[in-house]
Amino acid sequence: MSCFVFAGAAVAMLLGFLYVVKNRRGKSKLPPSPAWWLPLLGHLHLIGRLPHRSLHELHLRYGGGGGLVLLQLGRRRTLVVSTAAAAADLFKNHDLAFSSRPHNAAAHKQTYGSRNVSFSPYGEHWRQAKRIVVVHLLSARRVEAFAPVRAAEAAALVSRARRAAEAWEAIELRELVYGYTNAVVTRAATGAAGTTAKRLRQLLAHTATLVAGFQADDVLPDAAARVFRRLTGLEKKIDDMNEEWDRFLSEIVAEHKQKTSRPDQGLGGDILDVLLQLRQEKGAKGFELTDDGIKAITKDMIAAATETTAVTLEWAMVELARNPRVMAKLQDEIACVAGDTEQVAIAEPELNRMVYLRAVIKEVFRLHPPVPLLLPRESMAAAAVQGGRYEIPAKTALLVNAWAIGRDPAAWAAPEEFRPERFLAVAASSQAVDFRGTDYQLLPFGTGRRICPAINFAQPVLELALASLLRHFDWELPGGMRPEDLDMVEAPGLSAPPRVPLVLVPKCKALA
Ligand code: HEM
């Protein structure tokens, strides 16, 4: 009997507590929030395996028109942005306040103590490291200097597809495009391909399985999360993986040190060469580029680059297979611009004339941003957003749902339709929508101070691969499959490839 009394009292106290919290929230100027939440988990139980889809549903249900929902996700108070208008207000007026990243003990460890760019909190280290990336590693001249690497790897991509075509075999597109982006990125970052690329690929895959989804760190305080990781064996797995990464990076840094002891590599060098030269020349003013710092930045570039570009290419091929009209129109444009040439490769300047290709890539980014929730941010100061309608306390995490923003009916006509022409209609006007962070309805690379620094690097990698695959081959669905049978749902993880890997049959096209 006393058990029942105790349980009854506990339930009454819990309900009372939730009621008080709910009422207190009702009177505050916080954005709308689902009413009921659980101790410890907060609203985490409302988030499924695909957080961008769950958050979109919560926005539709509770958002109340302002495009903002406030959630308690484990220990983190989290603001979720789901419309273009809410993103515009936030980033035009409060970008600085929201420019840090939430602390995550596991990510801190993996990045040599947050010495990289992506996970570094806002501050002097982040500012200096990002300046090095923008000015020295991914400048327009350096990206241009990687053109021979892109051309060679695009030719290898075509050769691999041709082998499948000649054998009348179906091909898994993920394998094909991941091999290409992995090779381009590895060669640009470390100068090496072949076995290095293969080892790197294993490391990246292993990392992805250990860091995907919500982690113990998101729910529990640091010390408790560490105990949880130890008890479940996760801590050891992460330590082993970090050691493996470190061994790999240390080996290539050592090889490069020998190389850079020789005079200047000029623009012929790779990203590691540039970092080592900067250290020698003290080009990174007031910023100590230690070995760990160099390894952290190199790892950051490789990890940020490979999967994002591969996922975009796979979704592009999914959408083209689902929309044969668009595929045919794009092939016509490519044939028309690249023309009848003895040369197998497409010259990069020709890509500038492929306006439909650019529209297709924008449309892919709109519906399938490869990092659907961008990278989480955290506010450093309180912010009164939407003209003071809501007050967001300091230390609130921020998730920008780029996947939902791409489907915002206030920003896009017929948002669920794959229609690249929407970008052509205004292509000539000053209102042409682009993905460079100033058009808040299309944010695959983020925006503001934390925007991805590699748009100029990623764009030709994507365009060249897609144009090459469509120039040389017709692509058919295997064995009686119809376009409407394609699965359009994402796999869970930080980046979101199709849940079902795309398989197509390439057929060699005769060049015009
Ligand atoms: C299709 C390709 C890519 C997409 C869609 C993409 C997307 C993103 C996104 C969404 C962010 C977070 C932005 C924010 O917090 O607002 C980001 C950050 C970053 N990306 Fe990319 N990225 C791509 C390719 C690359 C490549 C090729 C590199 C390096 C070579 C790279 C390096 C970085 C770095 C260093 C950051 C951290 C920036 C910071 O925290 O200040 N990304 N990227």
PDB file of all heavy atoms in Angstrom, residues 101 117-118 126 130 138 300-301 304-305 308-309 312 365 370-371 374-375 377 444-447 449-454 457-458 462, ligand 1:
ATOM      1  N   ARG A 101      30.105  27.392 -30.836  1.00  0.00           N
ATOM      2  CA  ARG A 101      29.631  26.004 -30.961  1.00  0.00           C
ATOM      3  C   ARG A 101      29.445  25.433 -29.562  1.00  0.00           C
ATOM      4  O   ARG A 101      30.235  25.740 -28.659  1.00  0.00           O
ATOM      5  CB  ARG A 101      30.688  25.136 -31.682  1.00  0.00           C
ATOM      6  CG  ARG A 101      31.064  25.592 -33.078  1.00  0.00           C
ATOM      7  CD  ARG A 101      30.109  25.064 -34.119  1.00  0.00           C
ATOM      8  NE  ARG A 101      30.625  25.300 -35.466  1.00  0.00           N
ATOM      9  CZ  ARG A 101      29.866  25.692 -36.472  1.00  0.00           C
ATOM     10  NH1 ARG A 101      28.571  25.899 -36.309  1.00  0.00           N
ATOM     11  NH2 ARG A 101      30.382  25.861 -37.669  1.00  0.00           N
ATOM     12  N   VAL A 117      38.713  24.055 -36.965  1.00  0.00           N
ATOM     13  CA  VAL A 117      37.852  25.224 -37.207  1.00  0.00           C
ATOM     14  C   VAL A 117      36.402  24.886 -36.851  1.00  0.00           C
ATOM     15  O   VAL A 117      35.756  25.596 -36.073  1.00  0.00           O
ATOM     16  CB  VAL A 117      37.926  25.670 -38.693  1.00  0.00           C
ATOM     17  CG1 VAL A 117      37.078  26.915 -38.920  1.00  0.00           C
ATOM     18  CG2 VAL A 117      39.366  25.935 -39.095  1.00  0.00           C
ATOM     19  N   SER A 118      35.906  23.775 -37.390  1.00  0.00           N
ATOM     20  CA  SER A 118      34.472  23.462 -37.290  1.00  0.00           C
ATOM     21  C   SER A 118      33.948  23.439 -35.861  1.00  0.00           C
ATOM     22  O   SER A 118      32.859  23.928 -35.599  1.00  0.00           O
ATOM     23  CB  SER A 118      34.175  22.088 -37.877  1.00  0.00           C
ATOM     24  OG  SER A 118      34.694  21.980 -39.136  1.00  0.00           O
ATOM     25  N   TRP A 126      39.619  30.367 -33.121  1.00  0.00           N
ATOM     26  CA  TRP A 126      38.764  30.118 -34.287  1.00  0.00           C
ATOM     27  C   TRP A 126      39.028  31.174 -35.377  1.00  0.00           C
ATOM     28  O   TRP A 126      39.175  30.838 -36.558  1.00  0.00           O
ATOM     29  CB  TRP A 126      37.288  30.130 -33.880  1.00  0.00           C
ATOM     30  CG  TRP A 126      36.397  30.185 -35.091  1.00  0.00           C
ATOM     31  CD1 TRP A 126      36.080  29.154 -35.918  1.00  0.00           C
ATOM     32  CD2 TRP A 126      35.782  31.351 -35.639  1.00  0.00           C
ATOM     33  NE1 TRP A 126      35.285  29.600 -36.953  1.00  0.00           N
ATOM     34  CE2 TRP A 126      35.088  30.946 -36.806  1.00  0.00           C
ATOM     35  CE3 TRP A 126      35.732  32.696 -35.263  1.00  0.00           C
ATOM     36  CZ2 TRP A 126      34.364  31.835 -37.598  1.00  0.00           C
ATOM     37  CZ3 TRP A 126      35.016  33.581 -36.045  1.00  0.00           C
ATOM     38  CH2 TRP A 126      34.344  33.152 -37.197  1.00  0.00           C
ATOM     39  N   LYS A 130      40.369  30.101 -38.963  1.00  0.00           N
ATOM     40  CA  LYS A 130      39.489  30.272 -40.134  1.00  0.00           C
ATOM     41  C   LYS A 130      40.163  31.185 -41.163  1.00  0.00           C
ATOM     42  O   LYS A 130      40.057  30.964 -42.372  1.00  0.00           O
ATOM     43  CB  LYS A 130      38.136  30.843 -39.715  1.00  0.00           C
ATOM     44  CG  LYS A 130      37.168  30.869 -40.901  1.00  0.00           C
ATOM     45  CD  LYS A 130      35.785  30.497 -40.552  1.00  0.00           C
ATOM     46  CE  LYS A 130      34.900  30.380 -41.768  1.00  0.00           C
ATOM     47  NZ  LYS A 130      33.510  30.198 -41.442  1.00  0.00           N
ATOM     48  N   LEU A 138      42.221  27.762 -49.008  1.00  0.00           N
ATOM     49  CA  LEU A 138      41.135  27.644 -49.990  1.00  0.00           C
ATOM     50  C   LEU A 138      40.922  28.956 -50.749  1.00  0.00           C
ATOM     51  O   LEU A 138      39.796  29.277 -51.132  1.00  0.00           O
ATOM     52  CB  LEU A 138      39.834  27.234 -49.278  1.00  0.00           C
ATOM     53  CG  LEU A 138      39.837  25.868 -48.582  1.00  0.00           C
ATOM     54  CD1 LEU A 138      38.534  25.635 -47.840  1.00  0.00           C
ATOM     55  CD2 LEU A 138      40.080  24.744 -49.586  1.00  0.00           C
ATOM     56  N   ASP A 300      40.173  18.249 -40.177  1.00  0.00           N
ATOM     57  CA  ASP A 300      38.912  18.989 -40.340  1.00  0.00           C
ATOM     58  C   ASP A 300      38.546  19.123 -41.811  1.00  0.00           C
ATOM     59  O   ASP A 300      37.411  18.866 -42.230  1.00  0.00           O
ATOM     60  CB  ASP A 300      39.119  20.388 -39.733  1.00  0.00           C
ATOM     61  CG  ASP A 300      37.809  21.058 -39.373  1.00  0.00           C
ATOM     62  OD1 ASP A 300      36.792  20.364 -39.327  1.00  0.00           O
ATOM     63  OD2 ASP A 300      37.822  22.275 -39.119  1.00  0.00           O
ATOM     64  N   MET A 301      39.531  19.520 -42.609  1.00  0.00           N
ATOM     65  CA  MET A 301      39.270  19.740 -44.035  1.00  0.00           C
ATOM     66  C   MET A 301      38.833  18.436 -44.711  1.00  0.00           C
ATOM     67  O   MET A 301      37.889  18.406 -45.490  1.00  0.00           O
ATOM     68  CB  MET A 301      40.531  20.256 -44.746  1.00  0.00           C
ATOM     69  CG  MET A 301      41.169  21.450 -44.094  1.00  0.00           C
ATOM     70  SD  MET A 301      40.140  22.883 -44.203  1.00  0.00           S
ATOM     71  CE  MET A 301      40.440  23.308 -45.844  1.00  0.00           C
ATOM     72  N   ALA A 304      35.359  17.335 -43.403  1.00  0.00           N
ATOM     73  CA  ALA A 304      34.248  18.220 -43.824  1.00  0.00           C
ATOM     74  C   ALA A 304      33.977  18.098 -45.317  1.00  0.00           C
ATOM     75  O   ALA A 304      32.875  18.390 -45.770  1.00  0.00           O
ATOM     76  CB  ALA A 304      34.587  19.673 -43.474  1.00  0.00           C
ATOM     77  N   ALA A 305      34.994  17.684 -46.077  1.00  0.00           N
ATOM     78  CA  ALA A 305      34.880  17.780 -47.534  1.00  0.00           C
ATOM     79  C   ALA A 305      34.336  16.523 -48.207  1.00  0.00           C
ATOM     80  O   ALA A 305      33.531  16.601 -49.132  1.00  0.00           O
ATOM     81  CB  ALA A 305      36.262  18.115 -48.121  1.00  0.00           C
ATOM     82  N   THR A 308      30.303  15.380 -47.642  1.00  0.00           N
ATOM     83  CA  THR A 308      29.341  16.401 -48.083  1.00  0.00           C
ATOM     84  C   THR A 308      29.226  16.422 -49.607  1.00  0.00           C
ATOM     85  O   THR A 308      28.118  16.448 -50.152  1.00  0.00           O
ATOM     86  CB  THR A 308      29.776  17.795 -47.601  1.00  0.00           C
ATOM     87  OG1 THR A 308      31.178  17.939 -47.840  1.00  0.00           O
ATOM     88  CG2 THR A 308      29.484  18.010 -46.140  1.00  0.00           C
ATOM     89  N   THR A 309      30.386  16.384 -50.283  1.00  0.00           N
ATOM     90  CA  THR A 309      30.338  16.462 -51.745  1.00  0.00           C
ATOM     91  C   THR A 309      29.795  15.153 -52.346  1.00  0.00           C
ATOM     92  O   THR A 309      29.012  15.179 -53.299  1.00  0.00           O
ATOM     93  CB  THR A 309      31.726  16.810 -52.325  1.00  0.00           C
ATOM     94  OG1 THR A 309      32.728  16.211 -51.524  1.00  0.00           O
ATOM     95  CG2 THR A 309      31.985  18.284 -52.338  1.00  0.00           C
ATOM     96  N   THR A 312      25.987  15.027 -51.970  1.00  0.00           N
ATOM     97  CA  THR A 312      25.320  15.910 -52.943  1.00  0.00           C
ATOM     98  C   THR A 312      25.252  15.243 -54.315  1.00  0.00           C
ATOM     99  O   THR A 312      24.211  15.284 -54.987  1.00  0.00           O
ATOM    100  CB  THR A 312      26.089  17.253 -53.065  1.00  0.00           C
ATOM    101  OG1 THR A 312      26.324  17.760 -51.757  1.00  0.00           O
ATOM    102  CG2 THR A 312      25.321  18.275 -53.881  1.00  0.00           C
ATOM    103  N   PHE A 365      20.539  21.006 -53.665  1.00  0.00           N
ATOM    104  CA  PHE A 365      20.854  21.561 -52.339  1.00  0.00           C
ATOM    105  C   PHE A 365      19.585  21.977 -51.590  1.00  0.00           C
ATOM    106  O   PHE A 365      19.505  21.882 -50.377  1.00  0.00           O
ATOM    107  CB  PHE A 365      21.762  22.785 -52.469  1.00  0.00           C
ATOM    108  CG  PHE A 365      23.228  22.452 -52.562  1.00  0.00           C
ATOM    109  CD1 PHE A 365      24.059  23.137 -53.440  1.00  0.00           C
ATOM    110  CD2 PHE A 365      23.794  21.482 -51.752  1.00  0.00           C
ATOM    111  CE1 PHE A 365      25.408  22.851 -53.519  1.00  0.00           C
ATOM    112  CE2 PHE A 365      25.155  21.185 -51.821  1.00  0.00           C
ATOM    113  CZ  PHE A 365      25.961  21.876 -52.706  1.00  0.00           C
ATOM    114  N   PRO A 370      23.184  18.407 -47.737  1.00  0.00           N
ATOM    115  CA  PRO A 370      23.886  17.231 -47.205  1.00  0.00           C
ATOM    116  C   PRO A 370      24.105  17.277 -45.693  1.00  0.00           C
ATOM    117  O   PRO A 370      24.288  16.244 -45.070  1.00  0.00           O
ATOM    118  CB  PRO A 370      25.226  17.227 -47.938  1.00  0.00           C
ATOM    119  CG  PRO A 370      25.310  18.493 -48.682  1.00  0.00           C
ATOM    120  CD  PRO A 370      23.962  19.117 -48.759  1.00  0.00           C
ATOM    121  N   VAL A 371      24.106  18.467 -45.105  1.00  0.00           N
ATOM    122  CA  VAL A 371      24.153  18.551 -43.635  1.00  0.00           C
ATOM    123  C   VAL A 371      22.839  19.238 -43.220  1.00  0.00           C
ATOM    124  O   VAL A 371      22.781  20.453 -43.071  1.00  0.00           O
ATOM    125  CB  VAL A 371      25.367  19.385 -43.160  1.00  0.00           C
ATOM    126  CG1 VAL A 371      25.603  19.190 -41.668  1.00  0.00           C
ATOM    127  CG2 VAL A 371      26.617  19.064 -43.946  1.00  0.00           C
ATOM    128  N   LEU A 374      22.809  21.822 -40.523  1.00  0.00           N
ATOM    129  CA  LEU A 374      24.088  22.546 -40.503  1.00  0.00           C
ATOM    130  C   LEU A 374      24.914  22.014 -39.320  1.00  0.00           C
ATOM    131  O   LEU A 374      24.724  20.873 -38.916  1.00  0.00           O
ATOM    132  CB  LEU A 374      23.877  24.054 -40.413  1.00  0.00           C
ATOM    133  CG  LEU A 374      22.883  24.663 -41.442  1.00  0.00           C
ATOM    134  CD1 LEU A 374      22.892  26.174 -41.370  1.00  0.00           C
ATOM    135  CD2 LEU A 374      23.149  24.199 -42.861  1.00  0.00           C
ATOM    136  N   LEU A 375      25.834  22.808 -38.781  1.00  0.00           N
ATOM    137  CA  LEU A 375      26.529  22.378 -37.561  1.00  0.00           C
ATOM    138  C   LEU A 375      25.917  23.172 -36.403  1.00  0.00           C
ATOM    139  O   LEU A 375      25.625  24.358 -36.560  1.00  0.00           O
ATOM    140  CB  LEU A 375      28.031  22.673 -37.666  1.00  0.00           C
ATOM    141  CG  LEU A 375      28.792  21.883 -38.736  1.00  0.00           C
ATOM    142  CD1 LEU A 375      30.276  22.238 -38.706  1.00  0.00           C
ATOM    143  CD2 LEU A 375      28.630  20.386 -38.547  1.00  0.00           C
ATOM    144  N   ARG A 377      25.164  25.509 -33.366  1.00  0.00           N
ATOM    145  CA  ARG A 377      25.804  26.719 -32.839  1.00  0.00           C
ATOM    146  C   ARG A 377      25.358  26.917 -31.402  1.00  0.00           C
ATOM    147  O   ARG A 377      24.437  26.263 -30.931  1.00  0.00           O
ATOM    148  CB  ARG A 377      25.391  27.928 -33.657  1.00  0.00           C
ATOM    149  CG  ARG A 377      25.821  27.837 -35.101  1.00  0.00           C
ATOM    150  CD  ARG A 377      25.673  29.181 -35.696  1.00  0.00           C
ATOM    151  NE  ARG A 377      25.995  29.219 -37.107  1.00  0.00           N
ATOM    152  CZ  ARG A 377      26.288  30.346 -37.723  1.00  0.00           C
ATOM    153  NH1 ARG A 377      26.267  31.491 -37.064  1.00  0.00           N
ATOM    154  NH2 ARG A 377      26.571  30.349 -39.012  1.00  0.00           N
ATOM    155  N   PRO A 444      22.617  25.586 -47.765  1.00  0.00           N
ATOM    156  CA  PRO A 444      23.318  24.315 -47.578  1.00  0.00           C
ATOM    157  C   PRO A 444      24.707  24.490 -46.965  1.00  0.00           C
ATOM    158  O   PRO A 444      25.242  23.563 -46.357  1.00  0.00           O
ATOM    159  CB  PRO A 444      23.431  23.749 -48.997  1.00  0.00           C
ATOM    160  CG  PRO A 444      23.360  24.943 -49.885  1.00  0.00           C
ATOM    161  CD  PRO A 444      22.441  25.904 -49.193  1.00  0.00           C
ATOM    162  N   PHE A 445      25.322  25.655 -47.144  1.00  0.00           N
ATOM    163  CA  PHE A 445      26.664  25.883 -46.596  1.00  0.00           C
ATOM    164  C   PHE A 445      26.611  26.750 -45.340  1.00  0.00           C
ATOM    165  O   PHE A 445      27.642  27.219 -44.876  1.00  0.00           O
ATOM    166  CB  PHE A 445      27.544  26.587 -47.636  1.00  0.00           C
ATOM    167  CG  PHE A 445      27.857  25.750 -48.847  1.00  0.00           C
ATOM    168  CD1 PHE A 445      27.110  25.864 -50.020  1.00  0.00           C
ATOM    169  CD2 PHE A 445      28.903  24.834 -48.826  1.00  0.00           C
ATOM    170  CE1 PHE A 445      27.403  25.096 -51.135  1.00  0.00           C
ATOM    171  CE2 PHE A 445      29.197  24.061 -49.941  1.00  0.00           C
ATOM    172  CZ  PHE A 445      28.441  24.189 -51.099  1.00  0.00           C
ATOM    173  N   GLY A 446      25.414  26.987 -44.792  1.00  0.00           N
ATOM    174  CA  GLY A 446      25.295  27.867 -43.640  1.00  0.00           C
ATOM    175  C   GLY A 446      25.377  29.325 -44.073  1.00  0.00           C
ATOM    176  O   GLY A 446      25.225  29.654 -45.259  1.00  0.00           O
ATOM    177  N   THR A 447      25.637  30.188 -43.112  1.00  0.00           N
ATOM    178  CA  THR A 447      25.653  31.624 -43.390  1.00  0.00           C
ATOM    179  C   THR A 447      26.421  32.329 -42.275  1.00  0.00           C
ATOM    180  O   THR A 447      26.761  31.707 -41.268  1.00  0.00           O
ATOM    181  CB  THR A 447      24.200  32.157 -43.487  1.00  0.00           C
ATOM    182  OG1 THR A 447      24.230  33.572 -43.693  1.00  0.00           O
ATOM    183  CG2 THR A 447      23.397  31.887 -42.221  1.00  0.00           C
ATOM    184  N   ARG A 449      29.173  34.323 -39.914  1.00  0.00           N
ATOM    185  CA  ARG A 449      30.582  34.112 -39.563  1.00  0.00           C
ATOM    186  C   ARG A 449      31.004  32.648 -39.667  1.00  0.00           C
ATOM    187  O   ARG A 449      32.145  32.358 -39.978  1.00  0.00           O
ATOM    188  CB  ARG A 449      30.838  34.607 -38.135  1.00  0.00           C
ATOM    189  CG  ARG A 449      30.870  36.116 -38.016  1.00  0.00           C
ATOM    190  CD  ARG A 449      30.838  36.541 -36.558  1.00  0.00           C
ATOM    191  NE  ARG A 449      30.897  37.990 -36.425  1.00  0.00           N
ATOM    192  CZ  ARG A 449      29.883  38.818 -36.669  1.00  0.00           C
ATOM    193  NH1 ARG A 449      28.734  38.347 -37.086  1.00  0.00           N
ATOM    194  NH2 ARG A 449      30.028  40.116 -36.504  1.00  0.00           N
ATOM    195  N   ARG A 450      30.098  31.718 -39.375  1.00  0.00           N
ATOM    196  CA  ARG A 450      30.496  30.305 -39.378  1.00  0.00           C
ATOM    197  C   ARG A 450      30.220  29.631 -40.722  1.00  0.00           C
ATOM    198  O   ARG A 450      30.257  28.399 -40.816  1.00  0.00           O
ATOM    199  CB  ARG A 450      29.760  29.525 -38.273  1.00  0.00           C
ATOM    200  CG  ARG A 450      30.010  29.947 -36.845  1.00  0.00           C
ATOM    201  CD  ARG A 450      31.414  29.938 -36.361  1.00  0.00           C
ATOM    202  NE  ARG A 450      32.155  28.726 -36.264  1.00  0.00           N
ATOM    203  CZ  ARG A 450      32.809  28.306 -35.154  1.00  0.00           C
ATOM    204  NH1 ARG A 450      32.714  28.985 -34.019  1.00  0.00           N
ATOM    205  NH2 ARG A 450      33.548  27.230 -35.164  1.00  0.00           N
ATOM    206  N   ILE A 451      29.971  30.412 -41.756  1.00  0.00           N
ATOM    207  CA  ILE A 451      29.674  29.801 -43.064  1.00  0.00           C
ATOM    208  C   ILE A 451      30.826  28.894 -43.509  1.00  0.00           C
ATOM    209  O   ILE A 451      31.989  29.127 -43.142  1.00  0.00           O
ATOM    210  CB  ILE A 451      29.401  30.903 -44.122  1.00  0.00           C
ATOM    211  CG1 ILE A 451      28.776  30.290 -45.373  1.00  0.00           C
ATOM    212  CG2 ILE A 451      30.677  31.662 -44.463  1.00  0.00           C
ATOM    213  CD1 ILE A 451      28.283  31.326 -46.382  1.00  0.00           C
ATOM    214  N   CYS A 452      30.481  27.867 -44.275  1.00  0.00           N
ATOM    215  CA  CYS A 452      31.497  26.964 -44.816  1.00  0.00           C
ATOM    216  C   CYS A 452      32.488  27.773 -45.656  1.00  0.00           C
ATOM    217  O   CYS A 452      32.095  28.536 -46.529  1.00  0.00           O
ATOM    218  CB  CYS A 452      30.811  25.915 -45.686  1.00  0.00           C
ATOM    219  SG  CYS A 452      31.981  24.797 -46.488  1.00  0.00           S
ATOM    220  N   PRO A 453      33.780  27.608 -45.417  1.00  0.00           N
ATOM    221  CA  PRO A 453      34.759  28.386 -46.176  1.00  0.00           C
ATOM    222  C   PRO A 453      35.110  27.767 -47.532  1.00  0.00           C
ATOM    223  O   PRO A 453      35.987  28.280 -48.223  1.00  0.00           O
ATOM    224  CB  PRO A 453      35.996  28.356 -45.258  1.00  0.00           C
ATOM    225  CG  PRO A 453      35.867  27.066 -44.498  1.00  0.00           C
ATOM    226  CD  PRO A 453      34.394  26.792 -44.355  1.00  0.00           C
ATOM    227  N   ALA A 454      34.411  26.665 -47.910  1.00  0.00           N
ATOM    228  CA  ALA A 454      34.876  25.887 -49.057  1.00  0.00           C
ATOM    229  C   ALA A 454      33.887  25.876 -50.226  1.00  0.00           C
ATOM    230  O   ALA A 454      33.929  24.970 -51.047  1.00  0.00           O
ATOM    231  CB  ALA A 454      35.159  24.458 -48.611  1.00  0.00           C
ATOM    232  N   PHE A 457      35.664  25.699 -53.416  1.00  0.00           N
ATOM    233  CA  PHE A 457      36.333  24.413 -53.618  1.00  0.00           C
ATOM    234  C   PHE A 457      35.300  23.371 -54.058  1.00  0.00           C
ATOM    235  O   PHE A 457      35.526  22.590 -54.982  1.00  0.00           O
ATOM    236  CB  PHE A 457      36.992  23.973 -52.300  1.00  0.00           C
ATOM    237  CG  PHE A 457      37.725  22.662 -52.364  1.00  0.00           C
ATOM    238  CD1 PHE A 457      39.103  22.627 -52.565  1.00  0.00           C
ATOM    239  CD2 PHE A 457      37.048  21.454 -52.230  1.00  0.00           C
ATOM    240  CE1 PHE A 457      39.784  21.415 -52.624  1.00  0.00           C
ATOM    241  CE2 PHE A 457      37.717  20.236 -52.292  1.00  0.00           C
ATOM    242  CZ  PHE A 457      39.100  20.226 -52.485  1.00  0.00           C
ATOM    243  N   ALA A 458      34.142  23.374 -53.374  1.00  0.00           N
ATOM    244  CA  ALA A 458      33.145  22.322 -53.617  1.00  0.00           C
ATOM    245  C   ALA A 458      32.475  22.457 -54.990  1.00  0.00           C
ATOM    246  O   ALA A 458      32.189  21.463 -55.659  1.00  0.00           O
ATOM    247  CB  ALA A 458      32.083  22.354 -52.520  1.00  0.00           C
ATOM    248  N   LEU A 462      31.789  19.390 -57.721  1.00  0.00           N
ATOM    249  CA  LEU A 462      30.446  18.878 -58.006  1.00  0.00           C
ATOM    250  C   LEU A 462      30.110  18.992 -59.492  1.00  0.00           C
ATOM    251  O   LEU A 462      29.650  18.034 -60.123  1.00  0.00           O
ATOM    252  CB  LEU A 462      29.403  19.663 -57.204  1.00  0.00           C
ATOM    253  CG  LEU A 462      29.460  19.541 -55.679  1.00  0.00           C
ATOM    254  CD1 LEU A 462      28.502  20.530 -55.029  1.00  0.00           C
ATOM    255  CD2 LEU A 462      29.122  18.118 -55.254  1.00  0.00           C
TER     256      LEU A 462
HETATM  257  C1  HEM B   1      28.850  20.164 -50.760  1.00  0.00           C
HETATM  258  C2  HEM B   1      29.864  20.473 -49.996  1.00  0.00           C
HETATM  259  C3  HEM B   1      29.787  21.090 -48.613  1.00  0.00           C
HETATM  260  C4  HEM B   1      28.702  21.443 -47.864  1.00  0.00           C
HETATM  261  C5  HEM B   1      27.226  21.322 -48.231  1.00  0.00           C
HETATM  262  C6  HEM B   1      29.206  22.000 -46.621  1.00  0.00           C
HETATM  263  C7  HEM B   1      28.407  22.471 -45.593  1.00  0.00           C
HETATM  264  C8  HEM B   1      28.898  23.053 -44.433  1.00  0.00           C
HETATM  265  C9  HEM B   1      28.061  23.550 -43.370  1.00  0.00           C
HETATM  266  C10 HEM B   1      26.551  23.462 -43.343  1.00  0.00           C
HETATM  267  C11 HEM B   1      28.865  24.081 -42.420  1.00  0.00           C
HETATM  268  C12 HEM B   1      28.425  24.743 -41.106  1.00  0.00           C
HETATM  269  C13 HEM B   1      28.022  26.180 -41.360  1.00  0.00           C
HETATM  270  C14 HEM B   1      27.411  26.879 -40.167  1.00  0.00           C
HETATM  271  O1  HEM B   1      27.676  26.523 -39.016  1.00  0.00           O
HETATM  272  O2  HEM B   1      26.625  27.834 -40.407  1.00  0.00           O
HETATM  273  C15 HEM B   1      30.229  23.910 -42.876  1.00  0.00           C
HETATM  274  C16 HEM B   1      31.328  24.330 -42.173  1.00  0.00           C
HETATM  275  C17 HEM B   1      32.618  24.064 -42.574  1.00  0.00           C
HETATM  276  N1  HEM B   1      33.016  23.454 -43.743  1.00  0.00           N
HETATM  277 FE1  HEM B   1      31.821  22.820 -45.231  1.00  0.00          FE
HETATM  278  N2  HEM B   1      30.565  21.974 -46.644  1.00  0.00           N
HETATM  279  C18 HEM B   1      30.966  21.427 -47.842  1.00  0.00           C
HETATM  280  C19 HEM B   1      32.250  21.229 -48.251  1.00  0.00           C
HETATM  281  C20 HEM B   1      33.378  21.544 -47.529  1.00  0.00           C
HETATM  282  C21 HEM B   1      34.719  21.332 -47.985  1.00  0.00           C
HETATM  283  C22 HEM B   1      35.073  20.795 -49.374  1.00  0.00           C
HETATM  284  C23 HEM B   1      35.555  21.769 -46.979  1.00  0.00           C
HETATM  285  C24 HEM B   1      37.064  21.799 -46.931  1.00  0.00           C
HETATM  286  C25 HEM B   1      37.865  21.583 -47.954  1.00  0.00           C
HETATM  287  C26 HEM B   1      34.710  22.271 -45.901  1.00  0.00           C
HETATM  288  C27 HEM B   1      35.182  22.830 -44.720  1.00  0.00           C
HETATM  289  C28 HEM B   1      34.385  23.371 -43.743  1.00  0.00           C
HETATM  290  C29 HEM B   1      34.904  23.967 -42.511  1.00  0.00           C
HETATM  291  C30 HEM B   1      36.378  24.092 -42.120  1.00  0.00           C
HETATM  292  C31 HEM B   1      33.784  24.416 -41.778  1.00  0.00           C
HETATM  293  C32 HEM B   1      33.759  25.097 -40.412  1.00  0.00           C
HETATM  294  C33 HEM B   1      33.508  26.612 -40.544  1.00  0.00           C
HETATM  295  C34 HEM B   1      33.410  27.303 -39.197  1.00  0.00           C
HETATM  296  O3  HEM B   1      33.043  26.675 -38.202  1.00  0.00           O
HETATM  297  O4  HEM B   1      33.696  28.506 -39.148  1.00  0.00           O
HETATM  298  N3  HEM B   1      33.404  22.112 -46.275  1.00  0.00           N
HETATM  299  N4  HEM B   1      30.215  23.287 -44.112  1.00  0.00           N
END
